[in-house]
mmCIF file of all heavy atoms in Angstrom:
data_model
loop_
_atom_site.group_PDB
_atom_site.id
_atom_site.type_symbol
_atom_site.label_atom_id
_atom_site.label_comp_id
_atom_site.label_asym_id
_atom_site.label_seq_id
_atom_site.Cartn_x
_atom_site.Cartn_y
_atom_site.Cartn_z
ATOM 1 N N PRO A 869 -57.324 228.713 180.322
ATOM 2 C CA PRO A 869 -56.124 227.959 180.009
ATOM 3 C C PRO A 869 -54.912 228.500 180.791
ATOM 4 O O PRO A 869 -54.824 229.647 181.068
ATOM 5 C CB PRO A 869 -55.936 228.191 178.489
ATOM 6 C CG PRO A 869 -57.198 228.794 178.019
ATOM 7 C CD PRO A 869 -57.866 229.416 179.198
ATOM 8 N N VAL A 870 -53.999 227.597 181.080
ATOM 9 C CA VAL A 870 -52.786 227.936 181.798
ATOM 10 C C VAL A 870 -51.589 227.233 181.142
ATOM 11 O O VAL A 870 -51.740 226.085 180.759
ATOM 12 C CB VAL A 870 -52.900 227.617 183.312
ATOM 13 C CG1 VAL A 870 -53.060 226.159 183.564
ATOM 14 C CG2 VAL A 870 -51.725 228.173 184.100
ATOM 15 N N VAL A 871 -50.492 227.960 180.991
ATOM 16 C CA VAL A 871 -49.273 227.334 180.523
ATOM 17 C C VAL A 871 -48.354 227.202 181.742
ATOM 18 O O VAL A 871 -48.306 228.100 182.587
ATOM 19 C CB VAL A 871 -48.580 228.155 179.396
ATOM 20 C CG1 VAL A 871 -48.207 229.561 179.841
ATOM 21 C CG2 VAL A 871 -47.367 227.422 178.827
ATOM 22 N N ILE A 872 -47.738 226.016 181.873
ATOM 23 C CA ILE A 872 -46.848 225.769 182.971
ATOM 24 C C ILE A 872 -45.397 225.766 182.459
ATOM 25 O O ILE A 872 -45.064 224.947 181.614
ATOM 26 C CB ILE A 872 -47.134 224.394 183.660
ATOM 27 C CG1 ILE A 872 -48.573 224.231 183.976
ATOM 28 C CG2 ILE A 872 -46.240 224.224 184.860
ATOM 29 C CD1 ILE A 872 -49.140 225.091 185.091
ATOM 30 N N LEU A 873 -44.606 226.722 182.943
ATOM 31 C CA LEU A 873 -43.185 226.699 182.649
ATOM 32 C C LEU A 873 -42.471 225.984 183.760
ATOM 33 O O LEU A 873 -42.890 226.088 184.957
ATOM 34 C CB LEU A 873 -42.664 228.149 182.516
ATOM 35 C CG LEU A 873 -43.271 228.999 181.462
ATOM 36 C CD1 LEU A 873 -42.624 230.407 181.496
ATOM 37 C CD2 LEU A 873 -43.135 228.414 180.094
ATOM 38 N N LYS A 874 -41.413 225.286 183.435
ATOM 39 C CA LYS A 874 -40.647 224.573 184.427
ATOM 40 C C LYS A 874 -39.163 224.919 184.227
ATOM 41 O O LYS A 874 -38.729 225.033 183.092
ATOM 42 C CB LYS A 874 -40.831 223.073 184.316
ATOM 43 C CG LYS A 874 -40.293 222.277 185.489
ATOM 44 C CD LYS A 874 -40.777 220.850 185.453
ATOM 45 C CE LYS A 874 -41.991 220.767 186.308
ATOM 46 N NZ LYS A 874 -42.353 219.379 186.665
ATOM 47 N N ASP A 875 -38.430 225.096 185.329
ATOM 48 C CA ASP A 875 -36.975 225.373 185.198
ATOM 49 C C ASP A 875 -36.290 224.141 184.618
ATOM 50 O O ASP A 875 -36.879 223.045 184.583
ATOM 51 C CB ASP A 875 -36.367 225.860 186.466
ATOM 52 C CG ASP A 875 -36.296 224.806 187.613
ATOM 53 O OD1 ASP A 875 -36.659 223.662 187.377
ATOM 54 O OD2 ASP A 875 -35.924 225.190 188.708
ATOM 55 N N MET A 876 -35.097 224.347 184.120
ATOM 56 C CA MET A 876 -34.393 223.266 183.414
ATOM 57 C C MET A 876 -34.026 222.115 184.299
ATOM 58 O O MET A 876 -33.837 220.965 183.819
ATOM 59 C CB MET A 876 -33.115 223.832 182.729
ATOM 60 C CG MET A 876 -33.412 224.965 181.730
ATOM 61 S SD MET A 876 -34.694 224.565 180.503
ATOM 62 C CE MET A 876 -33.699 223.713 179.298
ATOM 63 N N GLU A 877 -33.976 222.333 185.623
ATOM 64 C CA GLU A 877 -33.698 221.251 186.572
ATOM 65 C C GLU A 877 -34.983 220.504 186.941
ATOM 66 O O GLU A 877 -34.922 219.453 187.653
ATOM 67 C CB GLU A 877 -33.075 221.801 187.844
ATOM 68 C CG GLU A 877 -31.666 222.380 187.660
ATOM 69 C CD GLU A 877 -31.722 223.824 187.100
ATOM 70 O OE1 GLU A 877 -32.647 224.588 187.438
ATOM 71 O OE2 GLU A 877 -30.844 224.187 186.284
ATOM 72 N N GLY A 878 -36.117 221.052 186.516
ATOM 73 C CA GLY A 878 -37.422 220.382 186.842
ATOM 74 C C GLY A 878 -37.843 220.552 188.252
ATOM 75 O O GLY A 878 -38.662 219.790 188.771
ATOM 76 N N LYS A 879 -37.313 221.572 188.924
ATOM 77 C CA LYS A 879 -37.625 221.746 190.367
ATOM 78 C C LYS A 879 -38.701 222.780 190.706
ATOM 79 O O LYS A 879 -39.298 222.767 191.730
ATOM 80 C CB LYS A 879 -36.313 222.032 191.148
ATOM 81 C CG LYS A 879 -35.337 220.925 191.058
ATOM 82 C CD LYS A 879 -34.220 221.077 192.086
ATOM 83 C CE LYS A 879 -33.213 220.030 191.875
ATOM 84 N NZ LYS A 879 -33.143 219.013 192.854
ATOM 85 N N ARG A 880 -38.874 223.759 189.783
ATOM 86 C CA ARG A 880 -39.809 224.831 190.056
ATOM 87 C C ARG A 880 -40.721 225.034 188.831
ATOM 88 O O ARG A 880 -40.287 224.939 187.690
ATOM 89 C CB ARG A 880 -39.094 226.135 190.363
ATOM 90 C CG ARG A 880 -38.177 225.952 191.617
ATOM 91 C CD ARG A 880 -37.922 227.210 192.364
ATOM 92 N NE ARG A 880 -39.051 227.836 193.001
ATOM 93 C CZ ARG A 880 -39.576 227.477 194.196
ATOM 94 N NH1 ARG A 880 -39.082 226.492 194.891
ATOM 95 N NH2 ARG A 880 -40.567 228.136 194.710
#
Side-chain angles (χ1 to χ4, degrees):
V870 62
V871 61
I872 310 289
L873 299 180
K874 192 169 266 197
D875 67 6
M876 301 309 275
E877 294 80 35
K879 297 194 185 251
R880 301 207 64 83

